[in-house]
Amino acid sequence: MTLAGKQVILGITGSIAAYKAVLLLRELTARAAEVTVVMTAGAEHFVGPLTFRTLSGRPVLSNLFDPQSDDAVEHVALAERTHVFIVAPATANLLAKAAHGIADDFLTTLLLAARCPVLMAPAMDGGMWDHAAVQANVTTLRERGVTVLEPDTGALASGLHGRGRLPEIETIVEEVERLLAPVRDLAGERMLVTSGPTREPIDPVRYLSNRSSGKMGHAVATAALRRGAEVVLISGPTALKPPAGAVYVPVQTAEEMREAALQHLGTATVVIKAAAVADYRVERPSATKIKSGGKRDGWSLDLVANPDILKELAQKKGGAFLVGFAAETNDVRAHAADKLRAKGIDLLVANDVSQHGIGFEADDNQVILLDRWGGVLDLPRMTKIQVAHAILDRVLALRAAPKPRRTPSR
Ligand code: PMT
């Protein structure tokens, strides 16, 4: 795709991967983008500004306090006319400053002034990427709408092998193109998405629930909205903000989720059930707080099965395309294939929730997509928003394909 007429800022920070920014700049200018390079002082230790100046045909910005330059006062105007702001490589230090709004050099000051989509391509040692502080900063940035790519796995500058390499230049360019030309292939679709856990009361202060954070379901809703769909998001209690533009229906219990889902099913063209519904509820929740003093010898709760919402939706869905999730801890594929048949749905998204870094609460997921016509798609680990886009791509592809292809194999 041509990027003619697109103003791009390419921020470069102090990582050994700064030399790869030269290749990224070449790819962007080859697509006719007008690129302004901004370097931190750290980046200049790795590659000289002259290289970037020559390839971009523009001055390289770096010193916010240069008295000879008008660049500093110009930064707000530059940020305002920019279509996409890339930081590649983005060090742990840059991610931390961006997450906390620190503006102590040209690049971080420009980031605060930017109103365009921001894309960060991290590069650092694997141990640093996994550090809780870095992960918290990445989560903050993603929640604010910044696209933070996952680093690649491979040989690192430290001599170790792990996750932390700058993503492939091709991946970064593809993401830039996506941000600049948002796809509206779901315009006219009405999506019903469920997300988060349910809470089944024991008494007014206690409940049964599970570890679902709502990140997966909210990512599906966000991705669908970005692609032009109308979205009804039915969610159990989460700490997440509902995505802007969604009709948001907060619920607590499985019964409430069922009621809301049935109410919105009639108008939905696609239903995606990412919620982790509690399978059981307490038969007779107490109206008053149960005194712990009275339970010193143990406490038994009588549980009854909750309605299987997904199965009921499959029976009543009419023409809607129905996607379910399967949270498994072993023999994921076999259990998922059984669940696909038992629930009578069109597509099942299976994830292994016993794996660290994916599934419940994590920012990433790794899923297998099994469809009722026998197709199986094994996807690599990705961010939840990327998984969401992959699910939506699959829904569109399956709906467009001639059917029936074949019945699912046992
Ligand atoms: O929310 P996150 O922290 O981001 O975590 C994401 C996730 C792990 C919750 C998500 O990826 C996921 O796997 N969601 C489904 C969890 C689940 O309940 O799986 P299950 O295998 O128990 O249920 C299978 C399907 O039936 C699900 O689509 C579920 O919504 C549905 N179901 C289950 C029970 C029930 N009583 N009614 C239902 O509709």
Side-chain angles (χ1 to χ4, degrees), residues 189-235:
E189 299 286 350
R190 290 179 303 276
M191 294 264 173
L192 175 54
V193 181
T194 70
S195 182
T198 64
R199 280 184 186 171
E200 311 299 330
I202 296 170
D203 67 16
V205 297
R206 303 179 180 94
Y207 53 80
L208 300 176
S209 191
N210 58 62
R211 287 172 45 209
S212 173
S213 62
K215 287 181 183 174
M216 189 65 249
H218 280 53
V220 171
T222 302
L225 283 161
R226 277 193 202 154
R227 291 167 69 159
E230 287 172 35
V231 175
V232 174
L233 176 61
I234 302 172
S235 179

